[in-house]
Amino acid sequence: MEDYLKEFLDLVKVHRFEELYSKDITAEKFFGFPIKSIVDAEKRLLSPEEPSVAYLSMEYGLGTSIYNSFLSTKPVSESNILPKQNIFSNMRIKDYYFTFKVDHRIMELPIYSGGLGVLAGDTLKSSADLNISLAAVGILWRKGYFKQNFWFKDGQVPEELNWDPYSYPGLIPLDTVIKIPLKDNDLSLRLWKYYVYSFDKKHVIPLILLDSDVDGNKPEFRRLTDQLYRSDNSYIKIMQRAILGIGGIKALEALGCSIRKYHLNEGHAALALVQKADALKKDDLTALEKDFIYTCHTPVAAGHDRFPLKELEKILPEENIDFIKKNGLEGENTVNFTMLLMNCCDHVNAVAKKHGEVTRLLFPQHADKIQSITNGVHIPTWISDEFAGLLKKHGNDIGDCAACRPEFLNLGKLRENQEFRLDLWKAHQANKRRLQSIFENWNIKENVFTICWARRIAAYKRPSLIFQDPRRLVDISKKTGPIQIIITGKAHPNDNLVGTFINNIMNTIDSLGPQNSILRIIMLENYDIFFGKILSNSVDVWLNNPLPPFEASGTSGMKAILNGVVQLSTLDGWVVEAAVGDIGEIFGYQHKSGEPVGSELDLRLDSDSVELYNALERLVKLYYETNQNGTVNAGSKWIDIMINCIMQSHYFNTCRMVKEYHDKMWFDKK
Ligand SMILES: *Cc1c(COP(=O)(O)O)cnc(C)c1O
């Protein structure tokens, strides 16, 4: 075996190496993974011949707790393990007497809040799988997003998350500290690295993380990288964007990376372009325009970053302000980062076909350059072991599905194969039994219809829709068969409207106590990627009911279809493209092409819930025709739908998405 340690340490100046990391970083291994892959990736990034890409994002959900988890010689530090989670159910006595048990597990690297971050993480993993030379930039959030605590019927109480980056396996501080020039006070940032490996461990994407908790920074500066998305204060928000954008460019320079293209995931990183313009000393935009790529993630007009010009003037140097005034002003006093990027990037993409349509409607002056590249999920991360095993067992007929060229369409050939249909059902039941064991104390049953709603609690996603008419819910479970509902998600702590949603849902759950023999409802505290995987691969039906057209894409349903989980969804985001494949029940209000976008506050709860219940009733009926108390009807239409779902994964994955980024945005041949 060759000794790569010296080469590694020459390329990567690890801070406090001897003291903290010399047992985990050795001649061959980096926290249990091949160190050679890192050396290769770092060298490629230094080479001017290599067309390397930089990807900047405010958040990354890497799935460090569920996929490619690093090994450490040190035991997991207590502060990096999540404390127990509470449950709020309509079996209340159980909530008091039982704690919810999952094996002692390491907390997910807490630098994300939801789907946007998970997409960024999956993008890096697929870029590694495709052996692309890419350096990612983000922020090391010292206190994460927040920990959600339920306070009985009073809803959610946020708590600061304290974790220890120095003992998180695979995360390493560098000696490198950079400075970003601000109007009257320089800000220092320490660089950290985390390495994202490909599924075969041969390739790596280095993720550079910026940290303002550095000696020499004044106390307010040291807290700037504490909490993701938690401040409403425009000064702090601008400073965080300066850290990501300006700090990102400075960090890439300090590390000697030779970058051809810059991909900004959402407008948060817009100041990277401003910084680069300044470095080029160019008023002429053409050089920049073709090097910057912008992915826009929300059709909610109010969801775009806007700041008062005078606030920016207090912070940024004059050259930056001149550029911003020229390219990003909306009216006289407001700077709009979305407009700035739409004005200055040749390549802009929306995250699903429907979202592209809506974005072109909202920004008609830029309609020509707005492409649609539909989101995906990283298959090796989100496929359950049971389903990976199923695909492998039938690999002769299907081909390679686990790696980067997913052959899921070949599943169609097995549709009439009884053995396959039974194996598929068995794999699903095995996943469901794991769910049953996790929620053992709440009597969750493997042969009872189970539906889940799990994502960020935002108004337009309508978390309470299924609870709109509790009597109807009871009625369906009496008439058609018992139902188990699992609901989970965090609400942004400053969003009062969604706070009331949580309270109302809890009141409804409480009021359904007497019905708990036929209708079991569980609300799980502190939703995260770990549960994102378990829930999306083991329930029978995945509920997705955003108000069209406000869900740009959505990705949790893609994790579910990959594991044969049937969809109950409104027609919005990615589902518009998938629905032709008959993946379950589609219901509710539909947004017609070309119509005005409407208001995201007009939630249509009454009319859409009526349709939701009708569709739910049909699904419950079909489920109990398929699963008669443990005996399966293998010819059932339900299993056909499960097969249709998995087949759609041939498209809804980040391997396809990153190839499209590569061919249409980064290295577009036209
Ligand atoms: C996948 C995922 C999401 C995204 O959910 P949507 O369906 O896109 O709303 C959010 N949070 C976590 C933890 C996830 O794993």
Side-chain angles (χ1 to χ4, degrees):
M1 268 295 172
E2 273 185 77
D3 186 344
Y4 291 101
L5 184 60
K6 185 178 174 312
E7 252 188 300
F8 171 82
L9 290 175
D10 281 346
L11 289 159
V12 186
K13 306 272 181 291
V14 183
H15 188 54
R16 298 165 71 183
F17 173 74
E18 288 300 335
E19 174 197 352
L20 294 175
Y21 304 104
S22 61
K23 289 205 174 64
D24 287 319
I25 306 176
T26 63
E28 291 163 40
K29 299 285 182 194
F30 178 87
F31 291 89
F33 285 43
I35 197 168
K36 176 180 188 300
S37 312
I38 297 181
V39 171
D40 292 345
E42 294 284 3
K43 279 193 197 155
R44 269 175 96 186
L45 283 170
L46 300 180
S47 159
E49 279 83 57
E50 187 73 53
S52 296
V53 177
Y55 182 89
L56 288 84
S57 177
M58 204 60 143
E59 49 168 318
Y60 290 90
L62 293 164
T64 52
S65 61
I66 57 171
Y67 177 73
N68 271 357
S69 304
F70 285 115
L71 310 172
S72 177
T73 53
K74 289 178 257 185
V76 178
S77 132
E78 274 305 313
S79 54
N80 291 340
I81 291 174
L82 274 181
K84 68 173 176 51
Q85 271 158 290
N86 286 309
I87 280 180
F88 187 93
S89 78
N90 68 338
M91 296 154 269
R92 296 305 308 283
I93 296 292
K94 294 177 187 295
D95 303 354
Y96 293 116
Y97 286 106
F98 296 114
T99 47
F100 176 60
K101 69 161 205 268
V102 200
D103 295 338
H104 211 54
R105 61 178 174 113
I106 188 160
M107 144 194 336
E108 179 61 32
L109 191 60
I111 57 172
Y112 75 103
S113 86
L116 178 78
V118 175
L119 179 80
D122 282 1
T123 301
L124 302 194
K125 285 181 264 183
S126 285
S127 298
D129 293 347
L130 290 164
N131 193 17
I132 288 168
S133 182
L134 185 145
V137 181
I139 293 180
L140 187 77
W141 298 104
R142 287 299 197 105
K143 296 195 171 175
Y145 180 43
F146 70 94
K147 181 180 176 299
Q148 177 190 51
N149 295 325
F150 285 164
W151 208 0
F152 305 106
K153 273 202 289 174
D154 290 323
Q156 154 187 303
V157 182
E159 183 188 319
E160 245 182 34
L161 185 80
N162 286 298
W163 66 289
D164 174 24
Y166 286 94
S167 65
Y168 197 95
L171 179 64
I172 48 168
L174 306 188
D175 281 335
T176 322
V177 174
I178 58 164
K179 269 196 186 345
I180 62 176
L182 298 175
K183 193 149 184 183
D184 31 53
N185 218 326
D186 284 354
L187 164 70
S188 298
L189 297 168
R190 175 174 308 281
L191 309 188
W192 293 66
K193 276 208 173 155
Y194 191 85
Y195 290 102
V196 178
Y197 275 77
S198 62
F199 68 92
D200 61 7
K201 319 256 195 307
K202 288 191 179 137
H203 312 298
V204 158
I205 302 296
L207 167 59
I208 302 159
L209 294 166
L210 309 161
D211 169 18
S212 72
D213 187 12
V214 177
D215 288 338
N217 274 343
K218 55 183 181 177
E220 313 84 282
F221 279 12
R222 294 185 75 145
R223 289 193 297 269
L224 284 170
T225 53
D226 271 3
Q227 282 184 304
L228 170 64
Y229 300 144
R230 287 301 307 284
S231 184
D232 275 340
N233 174 305
S234 61
Y235 173 80
I236 293 178
K237 286 170 81 172
I238 295 167
M239 288 297 280
Q240 292 175 336
R241 280 147 186 79
I243 289 172
L244 179 64
I246 302 174
I249 297 291
K250 292 269 175 200
L252 291 162
E253 285 167 5
L255 297 175
C257 298
S258 172
I259 300 296
R260 209 64 74 78
K261 301 283 173 173
Y262 297 85
H263 188 146
L264 312 182
N265 186 40
E266 192 50 298
H268 307 133
L271 295 176
L273 181 127
V274 176
Q275 174 64 19
K276 205 64 188 164
D278 183 34
L280 292 173
K281 293 274 176 276
K282 269 212 176 109
D283 279 342
D284 153 35
L285 270 175
T286 45
L288 276 177
E289 273 174 355
K290 55 178 184 37
D291 290 348
F292 275 79
I293 289 100
Y294 164 46
T295 299
C296 177
H297 282 271
T298 176
V300 182
H304 300 278
D305 270 340
R306 283 188 176 81
F307 298 106
L309 177 62
K310 65 175 187 329
E311 292 291 325
L312 283 155
E313 280 172 335
K314 279 187 213 154
I315 298 170
L316 299 176
E318 223 157 277
E319 312 84 77
N320 288 345
I321 295 293
D322 288 345
F323 184 87
I324 289 171
K325 276 185 180 160
K326 219 172 274 164
N327 299 294
L329 270 187
E330 182 181 60
E332 287 188 359
N333 305 312
T334 305
V335 174
N336 179 332
F337 279 12
T338 303
M339 297 234 310
L340 176 78
L341 292 177
M342 292 259 181
N343 284 333
C344 299
C345 300
D346 265 0
H347 293 88
V348 175
N349 85 294
V351 292
K353 284 211 172 68
K354 177 80 195 172
H355 179 224
E357 227 174 71
V358 172
T359 311
R360 285 186 283 271
L361 214 61
L362 292 170
F363 301 95
Q365 67 281 31
H366 299 295
D368 286 351
K369 63 165 90 160
I370 300 170
Q371 310 185 52
S372 300
I373 298 182
T374 305
N375 284 345
V377 295
H378 181 246
I379 287 167
T381 301
W382 296 105
I383 196 163
S384 58
D385 290 347
E386 292 294 338
F387 272 67
L390 172 77
L391 296 174
K392 204 163 172 190
K393 177 173 173 193
H394 295 270
N396 281 342
D397 294 302
I398 305 170
D400 189 4
C401 287
C404 216
R405 253 173 220 82
E407 307 286 355
F408 291 99
L409 286 179
N410 288 339
L411 252 74
K413 294 187 212 154
L414 290 169
R415 193 179 287 282
E416 308 304 329
N417 180 325
Q418 289 304 302
E419 186 197 345
F420 175 73
R421 294 174 74 97
L422 279 173
D423 283 348
L424 172 59
W425 182 259
K426 278 189 214 149
H428 175 65
Q429 289 299 94
N431 281 340
K432 214 167 157 192
R433 274 194 298 280
R434 200 191 43 227
L435 195 70
Q436 176 183 319
S437 76
I438 291 176
F439 290 104
E440 190 182 13
N441 290 326
W442 282 262
N443 291 340
I444 287 298
K445 293 277 190 322
E446 127 181 54
N447 293 316
V448 173
F449 176 94
T450 306
I451 183 168
C452 176
W453 188 102
R455 51 182 58 74
R456 234 167 15 89
I457 298 192
Y460 79 87
K461 289 174 183 272
R462 302 190 294 188
S464 65
L465 194 64
I466 195 172
F467 300 114
Q468 190 67 13
D469 182 358
R471 279 172 318 178
R472 179 84 169 94
L473 212 46
V474 174
D475 195 43
I476 297 173
S477 22
K478 273 197 188 134
K479 226 168 63 191
T480 324
I483 297 177
Q484 300 173 147
I485 302 176
I486 301 175
I487 171 166
T488 180
K490 291 177 178 176
H492 193 286
N494 302 352
D495 188 335
N496 294 328
L497 179 61
V498 295
T500 19
F501 277 122
I502 299 189
N503 295 3
N504 291 343
I505 291 170
M506 286 181 158
N507 277 320
T508 306
I509 294 176
D510 206 41
S511 74
L512 287 168
Q515 272 77 36
N516 71 29
S517 60
I518 48 164
L519 179 60
R520 293 179 187 279
I521 310 173
I522 280 181
M523 193 168 184
L524 173 67
E525 192 180 59
N526 213 29
Y527 182 53
D528 64 359
I529 286 181
F530 181 84
F531 278 99
K533 177 158 181 177
I534 290 187
L535 293 171
S536 66
N537 71 33
S538 60
V539 296
D540 299 302
V541 171
W542 195 253
L543 176 61
N544 174 56
N545 47 222
L547 173 72
F550 294 101
E551 186 64 279
S553 167
T555 51
S556 61
M558 301 178 191
K559 303 164 191 167
I561 56 167
L562 175 62
N563 292 284
V565 170
V566 172
Q567 304 291 302
L568 173 54
S569 180
T570 49
L571 198 66
D572 202 12
W574 75 281
V575 176
V576 177
E577 290 155 75
V580 291
D582 190 8
I583 55 171
E585 287 273 356
I586 305 297
F587 70 93
Y589 166 75
Q590 300 188 1
H591 175 262
K592 305 217 171 38
S593 295
E595 272 183 7
V597 172
S599 162
E600 77 255 36
L601 294 175
D602 176 12
L603 288 173
R604 302 173 191 268
L605 294 177
D606 286 328
S607 53
D608 273 9
S609 65
V610 170
E611 287 197 39
L612 164 61
Y613 292 125
N614 292 339
L616 177 67
E617 188 161 19
R618 288 191 292 274
L619 282 177
V620 177
K621 187 157 176 289
L622 184 59
Y623 177 82
Y624 284 115
E625 285 165 9
T626 307
N627 180 5
Q628 290 128 357
N629 214 1
T631 311
V632 60
N633 166 11
S636 168
K637 176 159 187 271
W638 186 279
I639 294 180
D640 282 313
I641 299 175
M642 288 175 78
I643 294 173
N644 296 344
C645 284
I646 310 170
M647 284 171 71
Q648 287 292 319
S649 300
H650 84 97
Y651 185 77
F652 297 99
N653 62 75
T654 39
C655 175
R656 185 267 314 150
M657 183 196 81
V658 170
K659 281 188 206 154
E660 283 195 62
Y661 281 173
H662 184 281
D663 296 343
K664 297 181 181 168
M665 308 241 287
W666 301 340
F667 303 108
D668 167 27
K669 300 276 173 352
K670 77 170 184 251

